């Protein structure tokens, strides 16, 4: 026994050493993995697999949570207690929720020095919109439509997380959602597959960089495969039933895009899809992901989702669940402990093929080699670097940059905004205005409370005005991560009078209202999309004494804002913007940054319209009123349209579109050009959006589909000609056999500043 124990680590060192040399030689030559390095990795994986027992291979497929940050229900204590024992046996391939160099090093040391083969752990963490320095929540970032800034934000997140010992993030979430009730819309890129695909690519590239073996890049994870964003009635974890066309054309494209970008891992989902839980879904994980899309990274389950197949009514018991998940292609078990406990037995009974275990272990080891963990398992464990890198000034600058770009101006009557820099009496009202935690948003496990710049602080930096603050009412009396009690104040109006008094004498009232940071995110579904608590009452009470109100919204999802749109002169959608929130908002309010964000989700007029989205189907009775009859598709009480459509957002300047031309170059290529002019008084940036409508097809197409966009900056009076090329990729769609086709026929091309644009040109392919 002793001889084996000694020999194997030596062999491992040899593998590690040679891989280190190879990697050094490769680093200078290649940015991404070259064919030779891919071959080297495959040889190393082969060599290692040959040495591994069945139990050790299964060990690679087992992931444990760390000891403090829980991001799911608390694990069963019996299993949790086995963590160290399993670590030492080499029965753990990964840990999540482990952070900080000291902690990671301690656990990694056990894996490397105390197990038979010394295989390093891959350390996963939910680095969703930053590690300690937070960027805006992902939905907000998506409102920037700025792919470079989004990529930069992911780069910063990766660099900080990597410095804290982490080498794998469970991001980006690329689930499309059309339902603002679902709390996790804050974590995605909104309702549109084209925009979401571009953003998914930017995020993956930001996290993974061009060389995964560097110690400041981390593996990304496309999640949740698939259709988690279509949870019925927006209720978290609910059943999903999605038809083939929606699956192929709406749900899948952002996932496919992450593969194009080289994403190294996928996470499956809690939901069932058409009767089969995603975790046990062979069609999703093997047929589509691994066979059709040729994904060669690995799939991790979601937290406990293997075991949850019993509750779904798909597996008889835990052992059966492990069998289904492994056969379906779930490679790693997050927090069900069923692989480590059941898989070896299932293989011996012939219920799971050993080839599937080999394949899963191979995929996991491959990513570990690519990360360079065999070269140096402690490459992410440099305490000095941790001290120097986390919270760097440059990261705050990047966070501020994308925070400004994420703000969407929803209304600005009589140019109330930007505020004057001098001589105005400004009342700032609302608990969220002075809050230094809430704007960090949900998914901020490693960020410290009270580290965001508040709006009050941001505005105080502008000293030319008289600024008076009054809270008016508490929204939250404290924020909680894991329980529902959000301490929303629904009764206490005792501080209204003071706020009213302050508002009465002000020239302008800035009210910061909305949701607290943990009111959106996982398991934070809502049926009411209004302002929580007594905030609406406060707003209306202030409105009675001063109508000059700028409403600044802090929220993680679209809200219903009819009263606000009707009564208030100015509305600024400022989401939850992360660490630099208050500075970004102040710069926009004072005109040092001209807002350019555009909504990535439609804002409904009523919750009853949800799910609501711009790329709907016409139906046999299009949504245009038919005179003198009720027999058309509509509601009796609310218009069909959203209050603010997808792609909508104003600027302090105005833009004019003209001279739209679309020219068919071949049966699969169309050139489009348009002229954009800045017709207002401010320099500004516009997101020029191109939509198509395929008038008739073998599978019906939406009334509009985004197929191109460009960010254009113009000075006052400046014009620019913008061109787009539509190719097969933009003109085609997936039929119900899953084939991508382009069909000849009539198309309309629309270009403008939102999805309602009327400027159009027609072509025939
Ligand atoms: C559950 C969430 O659904 C998933 O997105 C997350 O990555 C895991 N928990 C780990 O925290």
């Amino acid at each position: 026994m002793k001889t084996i124990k000694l020999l194997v680590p030596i062999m491992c060192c040899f593998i590690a050493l040679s891989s280190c040399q190879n990697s050094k030689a490769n680093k200078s030559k290649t940015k991404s993995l070259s064919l030779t390095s891919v071959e080297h990795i495959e040889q190393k994986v082969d060599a290692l697999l040959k040495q591994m027992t069945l139990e050790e291979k299964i060990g690679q497929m087992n992931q444990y949570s760390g000891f403090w940050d829980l991001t799911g229900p608390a694990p069963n204590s019996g299993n949790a207690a086995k963590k160290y024992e399993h670590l030492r046996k080499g029965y753990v391939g990964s840990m999540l929720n482990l952070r900080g160099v000291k902690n990671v090093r301690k656990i990694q040391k056990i894996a490397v020095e105390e197990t038979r083969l010394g295989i390093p752990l891959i350390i996963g963490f939910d680095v969703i919109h930053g590690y300690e320095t937070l960027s805006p929540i992902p939905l907000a970032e998506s409102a920037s439509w700025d792919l470079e800034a989004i990529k930069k934000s992911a780069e910063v997140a990766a660099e900080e997380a990597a410095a804290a010992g982490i080498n794998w993030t469970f991001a980006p979430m690329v689930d499309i959602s059309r339902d603002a009730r679902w709390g996790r819309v804050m974590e995605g890129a909104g309702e549109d597959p084209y925009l979401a695909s571009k953003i998914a690519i930017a995020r993956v590239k930001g996290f993974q960089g061009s060389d995964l073996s560097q110690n400041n890049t981390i593996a990304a994870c496309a999640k949740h495969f698939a259709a988690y964003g279509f949870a019925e009635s927006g209720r978290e974890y609910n059943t999903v039933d999605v038809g083939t066309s929606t699956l192929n054309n709406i749900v899948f494209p952002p996932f496919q895009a992450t593969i194009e970008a080289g994403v190294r891992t996928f996470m499956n989902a809690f939901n069932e899809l058409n009767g089969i839980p995603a975790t046990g879904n062979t069609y999703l994980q093997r047929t589509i992901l691994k066979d059709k899309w040729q994904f060669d990274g690995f799939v991790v389950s979601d937290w406990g989702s293997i075991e949850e197949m019993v509750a779904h009514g798909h597996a008889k018991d835990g052992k059966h669940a492990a069998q289904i998940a492994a056969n379906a292609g779930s490679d790693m078990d997050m927090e069900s402990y069923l692989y480590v406990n059941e898989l070896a037995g299932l293989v011996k009974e012939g219920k799971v093929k050993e080839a599937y275990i080999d394949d899963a272990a191979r995929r996991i080891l491959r990513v570990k080699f690519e990360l360079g963990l065999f070269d140096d398992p402690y490459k992410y464990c440099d305490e000095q670097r941790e001290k120097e890198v986390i919270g760097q000034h440059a990261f705050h600058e990047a966070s501020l940059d994308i925070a400004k770009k994420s703000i969407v101006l929803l209304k600005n009557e009589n140019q109330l905004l930007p505020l004057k820099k001098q001589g105005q009496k400004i009342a700032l009202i609302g608990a969220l205005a002075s809050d230094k935690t809430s704007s960090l948003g949900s998914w901020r496990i490693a960020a410290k409370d009270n580290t965001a710049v508040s709006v009050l602080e941001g505005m105080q930096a502008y000293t030319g005005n008289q600024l008076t603050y009054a809270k008016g009412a508490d929204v939250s009396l404290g924020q909680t991560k894991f329980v529902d009690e959000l301490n929303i104040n629904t009764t206490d109006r005792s501080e209204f009078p003071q706020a009213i008094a302050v508002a009465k004498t002000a020239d302008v009232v800035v009210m910061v209202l909305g949701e607290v940071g943990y009111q959106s995110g996982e398991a934070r579904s809502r049926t009411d999309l209004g302002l929580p608590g007594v905030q609406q009452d406060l707003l209306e009470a202030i409105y009675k004494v001063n109508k000059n109100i700028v409403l600044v919204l802090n929220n993680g999802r679209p809200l219903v804002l009819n009263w606000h749109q009707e009564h208030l002169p100015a509305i600024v959608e400022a989401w939850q913007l992360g660490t630099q929130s208050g500075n970004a908002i102040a710069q926009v309010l004072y005109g040092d940054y001209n807002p350019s964000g555009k909504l990535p989700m439609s804002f409904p007029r009523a919750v009853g319209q949800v799910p609501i989205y711009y790329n709907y189907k016409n139906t046999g009775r299009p949504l245009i009123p038919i005179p003198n009859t009720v027999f058309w598709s509509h509601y009796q009480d609310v218009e069909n349209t959203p209050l603010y459509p997808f792609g909508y957002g104003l600027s302090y300047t105005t833009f004019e579109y003209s001279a739209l031309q679309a020219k068919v170059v071949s049966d699969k290529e169309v050139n489009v050009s348009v002229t954009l002019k800045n017709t207002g008084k401010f320099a500004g940036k516009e997101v020029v959006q191109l939509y198509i409508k395929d008038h008739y097809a073998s599978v019906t197409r939406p009334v509009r589909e985004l197929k191109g966009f460009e960010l254009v900056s113009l000075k006052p009076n400046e014009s620019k000609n913008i061109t787009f090329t539509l190719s097969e990729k933009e003109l085609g769609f997936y039929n119900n056999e899953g084939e991508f086709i382009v069909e000849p026929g009539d198309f309309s091309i629309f270009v403008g500043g939102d999805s309602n644009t009327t400027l159009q040109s027609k072509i025939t392919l």
Side-chain angles (χ1 to χ4, degrees):
M1 275 308 279
K2 230 181 175 178
T3 341
I4 296 173
K5 262 200 138 190
L6 277 173
L7 268 180
V8 177
I10 290 170
M11 282 169 73
C12 241
C13 283
F14 170 71
I15 293 168
L17 199 70
S18 63
S19 97
C20 181
Q21 284 158 353
N22 288 331
S23 127
K24 267 189 195 148
N26 283 332
K27 245 178 221 168
S28 53
K29 271 190 251 149
T30 53
K31 284 266 172 192
S32 55
L33 284 175
S34 69
L35 188 63
T36 17
S37 58
V38 170
E39 281 168 359
H40 279 147
I41 284 178
E42 293 311 303
Q43 284 164 11
K44 287 175 207 161
V45 173
D46 277 340
L48 189 50
L49 274 173
K50 280 193 190 121
Q51 300 178 60
M52 294 170 77
T53 62
L54 176 63
E55 286 73 14
E56 283 166 341
K57 288 181 218 166
I58 292 168
Q60 288 304 304
M61 299 166 70
N62 178 35
Q63 184 188 53
Y64 271 119
S65 178
F67 308 90
W68 42 91
D69 299 319
L70 283 187
T71 52
N76 163 308
S77 54
N79 279 314
K82 287 196 193 143
K83 239 172 248 180
Y84 278 112
E85 182 197 327
H86 282 170
L87 263 170
R88 293 195 164 91
K89 283 186 171 160
Y91 293 175
V92 183
S94 171
M95 296 280 294
L96 81 152
N97 293 341
L98 184 64
R99 65 182 154 104
V101 164
K102 219 169 125 213
N103 299 318
V104 173
R105 181 181 281 279
K106 189 176 125 199
I107 302 297
Q108 188 70 290
K109 211 162 178 277
I110 299 178
V112 173
E113 292 180 15
E114 297 185 41
T115 66
R116 193 179 76 92
L117 292 172
I119 300 173
L121 299 164
I122 178 169
I123 310 290
F125 199 80
D126 289 287
V127 186
I128 305 297
H129 54 114
Y131 178 72
E132 206 176 284
T133 310
L134 292 192
S135 293
I137 55 169
L139 185 68
E141 285 195 352
S142 306
S144 75
W145 296 51
D146 188 326
L147 303 177
E148 271 312 305
I150 291 171
K151 180 165 168 252
K152 177 76 195 166
S153 158
E155 266 168 29
V156 165
E159 198 161 344
E160 264 200 356
I166 290 151
N167 43 48
W168 176 25
T169 176
F170 304 125
M173 184 186 102
V174 301
D175 298 302
I176 295 295
S177 181
R178 300 162 159 181
D179 197 330
R181 294 170 298 182
W182 190 50
R184 286 196 95 163
V185 296
M186 58 73 56
E187 199 181 338
E191 72 189 38
D192 178 67
Y194 182 87
L195 176 63
S197 298
K198 300 281 178 200
I199 290 175
I201 293 171
R203 290 194 168 129
V204 169
K205 290 193 169 161
F207 288 130
Q208 296 193 165
S210 51
D211 183 354
L212 202 54
S213 73
Q214 295 293 316
N215 69 356
N216 60 356
T217 57
I218 60 180
C221 178
K223 70 187 189 184
H224 306 83
F225 198 56
Y228 180 47
F230 280 73
E232 269 177 12
S233 46
R235 202 187 70 222
E236 183 68 291
Y237 313 128
N238 205 1
T239 302
V240 173
D241 232 303
V242 166
T244 315
S245 184
T246 303
L247 199 60
N248 287 332
N249 291 290
I250 306 289
V251 172
F252 283 166
F255 285 102
Q256 269 172 288
T258 64
I259 292 181
E260 271 170 46
V263 74
R264 299 316 291 134
T265 74
F266 259 55
M267 185 184 291
N268 56 36
F270 287 124
N271 57 283
E272 68 162 66
L273 176 65
N274 306 332
I276 301 175
T279 307
N281 203 309
T282 308
Y283 170 73
L284 286 176
Q285 297 173 109
R286 290 209 188 274
T287 314
I288 296 295
L289 179 61
K290 293 180 178 173
D291 295 344
K292 187 170 177 188
W293 296 348
Q294 294 283 297
F295 173 64
D296 69 352
F298 69 88
V299 181
V300 63
S301 82
D302 204 340
W303 183 289
S305 68
I306 298 180
E307 190 172 28
E308 287 179 14
M309 287 199 288
V310 178
H312 272 289
H314 189 60
K316 179 171 163 257
D317 51 25
K319 182 174 177 186
H320 188 206
Q323 176 187 334
I324 295 172
N327 284 333
S330 287
D331 300 313
M332 186 181 278
D333 172 0
M334 179 193 289
E335 284 295 289
S336 283
Y337 316 108
L338 288 169
Y339 281 3
V340 69
N341 291 331
E342 305 289 358
L343 267 189
L346 285 161
V347 171
K348 280 167 198 152
E349 286 169 40
K351 290 185 173 151
V352 173
K353 286 190 234 158
E354 190 161 356
Y356 281 163
I357 307 293
D358 287 349
D359 178 60
R362 171 183 296 281
R363 288 167 179 274
I364 294 162
L365 292 172
R366 180 183 288 142
V367 175
K368 290 185 178 181
F369 272 109
E370 289 170 2
L371 281 164
L373 286 168
F374 286 92
D375 301 346
D376 177 4
Y378 306 108
K379 59 188 289 194
Y380 299 88
C381 294
D382 176 341
E383 288 192 44
Q384 190 54 30
R385 180 169 79 121
E386 184 178 39
K387 276 192 212 122
E388 286 165 10
V389 165
I390 295 178
Q392 262 180 22
H393 180 66
F395 297 165
H396 284 261
E397 279 182 352
S399 160
L400 176 59
D401 178 63
I402 184 132
K404 289 187 284 194
K405 291 173 172 167
S406 303
I407 293 173
V408 184
L409 181 64
L410 296 177
K411 187 174 178 192
N412 190 22
E413 221 170 54
N414 305 324
Q415 298 204 314
L416 180 58
L417 289 174
L419 300 172
K420 296 194 180 70
K421 286 191 180 157
Q422 282 187 342
Q424 277 187 327
K425 272 174 89 178
I426 297 179
L428 178 64
I429 294 173
L432 292 174
S434 61
D435 194 302
K436 290 173 63 59
T437 300
S438 185
S439 55
L440 297 174
S442 203
W443 285 124
R444 32 152 295 214
I445 315 169
K448 300 186 182 93
D449 282 352
N450 282 310
T451 52
V453 177
S454 69
V455 180
L456 176 60
E457 289 168 332
M459 289 186 76
Q460 277 167 341
Y462 290 81
T463 51
N465 285 327
Q466 184 190 319
L467 180 72
T468 316
Y469 172 68
K471 185 165 64 176
D474 266 315
V475 189
S476 160
L477 308 171
Q479 302 194 32
T480 48
K481 287 187 201 175
F482 302 124
V483 283
D484 264 335
E485 181 51 79
L486 285 162
N487 297 320
I488 300 297
N489 167 26
T490 52
T491 50
D492 185 4
R493 293 170 170 78
S494 58
E495 293 190 49
F496 277 27
Q498 197 209 343
I500 291 168
V502 168
K504 255 186 195 158
T505 56
D507 297 318
V508 183
V509 183
V510 176
M511 294 193 70
V512 185
L513 306 176
E515 299 180 312
V516 293
Y518 280 119
Q519 209 158 10
S520 57
E522 186 178 346
R524 304 296 153 102
S525 297
R526 291 180 68 200
T527 59
D528 176 358
L529 297 178
L531 295 172
V534 291
Q535 293 181 99
Q536 183 66 28
D537 293 353
L538 174 66
L539 175 57
E540 292 187 26
I542 300 289
Y543 182 76
K544 280 193 187 129
V545 298
N546 192 335
K547 299 200 167 18
N548 237 9
I549 295 177
V550 176
L551 172 62
V552 176
L553 291 162
N554 281 183
N555 46 312
R557 52 154 65 80
L559 297 174
V560 170
L561 299 167
N562 299 315
W563 184 92
H564 318 79
Q565 171 65 22
E566 195 183 324
H567 294 91
L568 304 179
I571 307 175
V572 177
E573 176 52 84
W575 316 102
Q576 284 136 356
L577 294 174
T579 309
Q580 287 291 325
S581 182
N583 285 335
I585 291 169
Q587 289 190 21
V588 164
L589 294 181
Y590 280 107
D592 282 340
Y593 187 82
N594 186 354
S596 53
K598 301 276 188 175
L599 296 178
M601 278 188 88
S602 308
F603 275 43
R605 295 175 190 274
V607 179
Q609 289 178 301
V610 172
I612 185 165
Y613 46 99
Y614 84 96
N615 48 355
Y616 59 88
K617 300 288 185 75
N618 224 5
T619 81
R621 297 188 179 192
L623 312 191
I624 306 156
I626 305 175
N628 306 322
T629 174
V630 294
F631 299 112
W632 61 289
S633 180
H634 69 297
Y635 301 100
Q636 289 193 321
D637 52 352
V638 173
E639 275 180 46
N640 279 330
T641 56
L643 182 65
Y644 305 118
F646 172 82
Y648 172 81
L650 303 172
S651 161
Y652 294 151
T653 194
T654 46
F655 295 101
E656 187 184 274
Y657 288 81
S658 62
L660 172 63
Q661 284 184 331
K663 202 167 145 226
V664 180
V665 184
S666 75
D667 59 348
K668 283 171 186 166
E669 195 171 307
V670 176
N671 285 343
V672 180
S673 74
V674 74
T675 303
L676 180 73
K677 184 173 181 191
N678 181 343
T679 49
K681 294 197 182 87
F682 296 81
K685 190 166 60 185
E686 169 75 327
V687 182
V688 177
Q689 301 160 45
L690 182 150
Y691 297 85
I692 68 162
K693 174 181 163 80
D694 182 349
H695 286 260
Y696 53 93
S698 53
V699 180
T700 59
R701 309 301 310 133
V703 291
R704 280 184 189 195
E705 295 174 86
L706 181 74
K707 292 296 177 182
F709 63 89
E710 197 176 316
L711 275 60
V712 183
S713 293
L714 293 177
K715 296 190 193 89
N717 259 320
E718 197 186 353
S719 297
K720 195 177 170 192
N721 191 40
I722 295 119
T723 56
F724 295 93
T725 301
L726 298 174
S727 64
E728 200 174 354
K729 208 171 169 197
E730 286 81 34
L731 296 166
F733 61 89
Y734 287 94
N735 66 16
N736 286 349
E737 282 66 56
E739 298 152 352
F740 192 80
I741 54 170
V742 183
E743 287 183 347
D746 299 332
F747 290 76
S748 291
I749 314 286
F750 301 87
V751 179
D754 63 51
S755 60
N756 270 352
T757 175
T758 50
L759 186 65
Q760 67 166 305
S761 176
K762 290 201 166 139
I763 54 149
T764 302
L765 276 190

